[in-house]
Amino acid sequence: MTNKKRPTVYLTRKLPDLVETRMRELFEAELNIEDAPRTEAELLAAMQRVDVLVPTVTDRITASMIEQAGPQLKLIAGFSNGIDHIDVDAAARKGITVTNTPNVLTEDSADMTMALVLAVPRRIVEGTRVLANGSEDWRGWSPTWMLGRRLSGKRIGIVGMGRIGTAVARRAKAFGLSIHYHNRKRVSPATEAELEATYWDSLDQMLARVDIVSVNCPSTPATYHLISARRLTLMQPTSYIVNTARGDIIDEAAMIECLRQGKIAGAGLDVFENEPAVNPKLIKLAKEGRVVLLPHMSSATIEGRIDMGDKVIINIRAFYDGHRPPNRVLPGRA
């Protein structure tokens, strides 16, 4: 790239220092030092003058914005695994290549999913809050105080058995959980045998028979409110639901009502339907110990973010060296 004009690259959010330094070495990179979310107008202004846009999962890149982009914009190098925030079809019509950063956050996301699977039935957050408020609230050990639910011997139903779902299953199996899953297609016989997993082609039937539901599928038009109001009522009153995928996969309002009415026992959520806004009713339930809420941090590790940045850099370099980027997203994928 030393003999070529360096592409102008616009980073919509602050990235790890190592990534930003490398970006500045290789490209004419514009950084977001203050890490303030960019408005639609700011994003559009950038798209009308830079060669490469590097959006994150919170930046919605719509068809209208893409249609108004300047002719010099040829690459949208997403700093994310998911691509539901980018209109890939509109980009293809405009002749803009879209890339993402897959296969980086699998282990981190699976770790956090398992943390929520542990935290909700075992009431970990409630317990930490007791001592955080001062030890005077704790009168010592008692046989009947802070009773939760045992994990070993329970059934976990994984919705979406891709890389993350499979990684969750491996962790869950180590904790003595029985693995059940629903997916568009069955995993390989070898994976099923390794995990001793039971496949359900009917999501309804699986939801009615498991103790913990873990949502690990991507957000697509087909999975919007996949866990619907009707399906939530199929769950057992002693069951829990965990979501580290996308908020709109669950009908959040219906889930809140099920929690309030005791139709499900609890929930662990790292994502929300209207992020960054969180429904006040969920916050109230969290204060009551009915749910555990995290601020979309399942993939938040230093190692993961640096790996994501490395993939963005590789995609940009490949594109401007005249090669097909290794993580190109094809139109119609959703």
Side-chain angles (χ1 to χ4, degrees), residues 78-271:
F79 186 87
S80 63
N81 179 52
I83 45 86
D84 51 297
H85 58 297
I86 302 171
D87 195 318
V88 178
D89 293 337
R93 291 193 297 269
K94 183 84 172 182
I96 299 172
T97 297
V98 177
T99 61
N100 67 339
T101 59
N103 310 332
V104 171
L105 306 175
T106 298
E107 302 304 322
D108 298 331
S109 297
D111 284 346
M112 192 63 83
T113 301
M114 199 63 214
L116 286 171
V117 168
L118 283 163
V120 181
R122 292 305 309 270
R123 304 174 66 179
I124 291 174
V125 174
E126 288 179 82
T128 60
R129 191 180 295 138
V130 169
L131 295 183
N133 292 337
S135 60
E136 63 273 8
D137 292 338
W138 185 46
R139 292 183 290 179
W141 181 88
S142 167
T144 57
W145 187 67
M146 289 294 290
L147 297 182
R149 291 280 180 171
R150 178 184 295 164
L151 287 185
S152 180
K154 299 296 191 301
R155 299 183 178 94
I156 186 169
I158 297 173
V159 183
M161 197 72 152
R163 290 183 178 87
I164 295 175
T166 302
V168 170
R170 290 195 174 98
R171 287 158 173 76
K173 185 174 184 291
F175 277 87
L177 287 157
S178 174
I179 309 303
H180 297 251
Y181 76 98
H182 170 78
N183 205 41
R184 286 182 299 175
K185 58 182 180 180
R186 296 182 72 152
V187 299
S188 70
T191 300
E192 277 196 359
E194 173 201 350
L195 299 172
E196 301 178 56
T198 300
Y199 172 68
W200 294 85
D201 57 3
S202 168
L203 177 58
D204 288 7
Q205 292 186 21
M206 184 185 80
L207 291 175
R209 290 167 172 81
V210 297
D211 303 292
I212 301 167
V213 174
S214 177
V215 179
N216 299 108
C217 60
S219 174
T220 70
T223 61
Y224 176 78
H225 282 190
L226 177 68
I227 310 298
S228 62
R230 180 188 65 80
R231 284 188 165 130
L232 285 162
T233 62
L234 299 175
M235 294 174 59
Q236 303 174 53
T238 55
S239 63
Y240 303 89
I241 189 163
V242 169
N243 187 8
T244 56
R246 286 290 186 271
D248 62 6
I249 297 171
I250 300 177
D251 184 333
E252 192 172 274
M255 178 186 63
I256 289 170
E257 285 308 305
C258 285
L259 287 162
R260 292 175 69 181
Q261 296 173 25
K263 294 181 178 179
I264 56 178
L269 307 172
D270 185 49
V271 289

Side-chain angles (χ1 to χ4, degrees), residues 3 21 153 162 171 265 274:
N3 296 324
T21 300
R171 287 158 173 76
N274 298 299

Side-chain angles (χ1 to χ4, degrees), residues 23-69:
M23 288 269 193
R24 292 296 296 269
E25 290 173 347
L26 294 170
F27 319 122
E28 295 298 324
E30 298 183 26
L31 310 182
N32 184 345
I33 300 298
E34 68 275 18
D35 199 28
R38 297 308 190 194
T39 65
E40 181 175 326
E42 289 172 326
L43 292 171
L44 182 55
M47 293 169 70
Q48 292 173 338
R49 62 180 176 80
V50 302
D51 302 312
V52 182
L53 181 73
V54 181
T56 66
V57 69
T58 60
D59 302 305
R60 298 210 66 81
I61 311 301
T62 65
S64 174
M65 296 168 67
I66 289 169
E67 288 166 5
Q68 298 176 71

